[in-house]
Amino acid sequence: MVDFIAYVTERDMERWRREGRQDILDIIDREQAFWAGDHLISKVDGRYLDRCPFLTWEGELHCCSIHETRPEVCRNYEPGSSEICSQFRG
Ligand code: SF4
């Protein structure tokens, strides 16, 4: 799973502010994910980010803990549609 929050837009941020989702904004602020060409790192301390912080494990399934208000990039995502997907063909 790739960390999509590097692709969060200002529209996503505005929506979360409007919805009072400070929990999400705090995580975005803490991670500061940055796409480094072939992997994600934290702008804060350069650490490797290997998964989305909103991805949770429920029983036998991985789930999005913010599904109802997930970022636009996740709503619009189709396999192979982005450079962060291994199936991407630019
Ligand atoms: S759908 Fe949810 S868990 Fe998956 S990348 Fe987007 S925010 Fe993260």
Side-chain angles (χ1 to χ4, degrees), residues 1-5 52-56 63-67 70-71 73-75:
M1 189 67 174
V2 176
D3 193 338
F4 284 69
I5 66 171
C52 177
F54 302 112
L55 186 65
T56 59
C63 299
C64 175
S65 61
I66 60 167
H67 183 78
R70 64 197 183 284
V73 67
C74 303
R75 292 170 196 268

Side-chain angles (χ1 to χ4, degrees), residues 25-41:
L25 295 168
D26 287 347
I27 290 172
I28 299 290
D29 191 45
R30 188 190 70 214
E31 295 283 343
Q32 297 275 320
F34 176 76
W35 183 245
D38 61 353
H39 66 285
L40 287 154
I41 60 172

Side-chain angles (χ1 to χ4, degrees), residues 4 72-83 85 87-88:
F4 284 69
E72 283 180 19
V73 67
C74 303
R75 292 170 196 268
N76 299 334
Y77 179 75
E78 293 176 23
S81 65
S82 168
E83 64 188 3
C85 174
Q87 300 301 311
F88 179 65

Side-chain angles (χ1 to χ4, degrees), residues 45-56:
D45 55 14
R47 77 185 183 288
Y48 180 82
L49 301 174
D50 64 348
R51 68 176 193 91
C52 177
F54 302 112
L55 186 65
T56 59

